[in-house]
């Protein structure tokens, strides 16, 4: 690890886009600019001059070159990417925070695509666990089936909670509309 | 062509300005700049919101892609788009007339 990078462990729920954006802007103001992040919630920052830079998280852009071009035309820079999440940043000018999504309807659309992915990651797993519990208990060594069940006993409620939080966030946005 | 206007109206502020910015074909970023200028800064459309609007409006056949250059798509208003915009403006004119009348009457009654 070079002296110019700082690694931070920090966990956010999928619906906490605003919290992440605030945190990243605060870090940029301290001279810590996002470089990358990984699935273990480890954030890597590059040390540089403090700057007021706004961050926005997007889930819809991943592979669309036309959309990426539009973001770049508007002055956004892609800072990091993680499993479909794009972290865009743009300097704040005259104290006005720039935004990628400027109305509630398109914000909801963004969360809906996240909700779909999270649900797809959770539901089949939950069903698989229920379906396979019996054969797992009967046919595998004790230590193994308990660790597999233990993992899923953690994973399924964890993901279900994440999905519920996201769903609640979408509904809150609908009311605000 | 008979249009079921209820399917499209009322337009949201952002959608209205996207259609209104297409008096001639423009690409995405040009539309964003035009909307900010036209609305005197009242309406700012971010790239994510605009891109979502493109998808919806293209599906509704209110706008169409006419060319593509260096990953920038240029859009134009369709005939249907023009008619929907015209109908929205017609309704807006009635709203503005009624709004002004109501405010004038309110003022007059208060003074009486």
């Amino acid at each position: 690890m070079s002296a110019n990078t700082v690694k931070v462990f920090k966990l956010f729920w999928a619906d906490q886009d605003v919290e992440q954006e605030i945190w990243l802007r605060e870090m940029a103001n301290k001279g810590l600019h996002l470089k990358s992040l990984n699935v273990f919630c480890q954030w890597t920052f590059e040390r540089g001059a403090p700057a007021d830079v706004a961050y926005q998280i997007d889930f819809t852009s991943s592979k669309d070159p036309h959309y990426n071009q539009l973001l770049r035309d508007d002055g956004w820079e892609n800072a990091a990417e993680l499993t479909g999440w794009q972290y865009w940043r743009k300097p704040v000018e005259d104290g006005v925070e720039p935004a990628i999504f400027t109305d509630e309807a398109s914000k909801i659309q963004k969360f809906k695509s996240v909700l779909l992915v999270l649900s797809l990651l959770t539901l089949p797993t939950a069903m698989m666990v229920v379906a396979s519990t019996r054969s797992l208990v009967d046919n595998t060594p004790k230590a193994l089936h308990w660790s597999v069940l233990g993992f899923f006993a953690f994973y399924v409620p964890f993901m279900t909670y994440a999905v519920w939080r996201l769903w609640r966030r979408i509904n809150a946005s609908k009311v605000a509309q | 062509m008979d249009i079921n206007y209820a399917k499209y109206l009322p337009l949201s502020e952002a959608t209205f300005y996207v259609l209104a910015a297409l008096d001639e074909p423009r690409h995405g970023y040009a539309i964003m700049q035009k909307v900010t200028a036209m609305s005197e800064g009242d309406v700012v459309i971010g790239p994510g919101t605009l891109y979502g609007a493109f998808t919806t409006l293209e599906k509704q056949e209110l706008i169409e892609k006419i060319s593509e250059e260096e990953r920038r798509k240029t859009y134009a208003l369709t005939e249907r788009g023009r008619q929907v915009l015209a109908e929205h403006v017609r309704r807006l004119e009635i709203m503005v007339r009624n709004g002004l009348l109501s405010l004038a009457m309110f003022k007059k009654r208060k003074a009486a």
Side-chain angles (χ1 to χ4, degrees), chain B residues 38-89:
Chain B
M38 275 197 303
S39 67
E40 297 165 25
D42 278 353
V43 179
V44 174
I45 302 181
T49 299
L50 181 62
Y51 211 75
F54 280 161
T55 309
T56 309
L57 292 172
E58 221 179 346
K59 213 185 289 170
Q60 294 179 324
E61 294 175 8
L62 300 185
I63 63 170
E64 62 187 347
K65 189 183 90 177
I66 56 163
S67 67
E68 192 179 320
E69 229 175 286
E70 290 175 41
R71 292 175 294 173
R72 290 184 187 90
K73 295 182 196 171
T74 298
Y75 286 97
L77 204 58
T78 61
E79 177 54 25
R80 180 187 294 257
R82 191 195 62 76
Q83 285 178 299
V84 167
L85 181 62
E87 175 63 14
H88 183 75
V89 170

Side-chain angles (χ1 to χ4, degrees), chain A residues 58 60 64-76 99-103 106-107, chain B residues 12 14 27-29 32 44-52 54 65 68 70-73:
Chain A
D58 189 3
T60 54
D64 188 336
H66 298 99
Y67 182 42
N68 279 278
Q69 186 61 48
L70 185 58
L71 283 155
R72 283 175 217 285
D73 283 348
D74 191 36
W76 294 88
I100 289 178
F101 295 97
T102 43
D103 65 12
S106 53
K107 273 180 215 163
Chain B
S12 73
H27 63 75
Y29 186 53
M32 285 167 60
V44 174
I45 302 181
T49 299
L50 181 62
Y51 211 75
F54 280 161
K65 189 183 90 177
E68 192 179 320
E70 290 175 41
R71 292 175 294 173
R72 290 184 187 90
K73 295 182 196 171

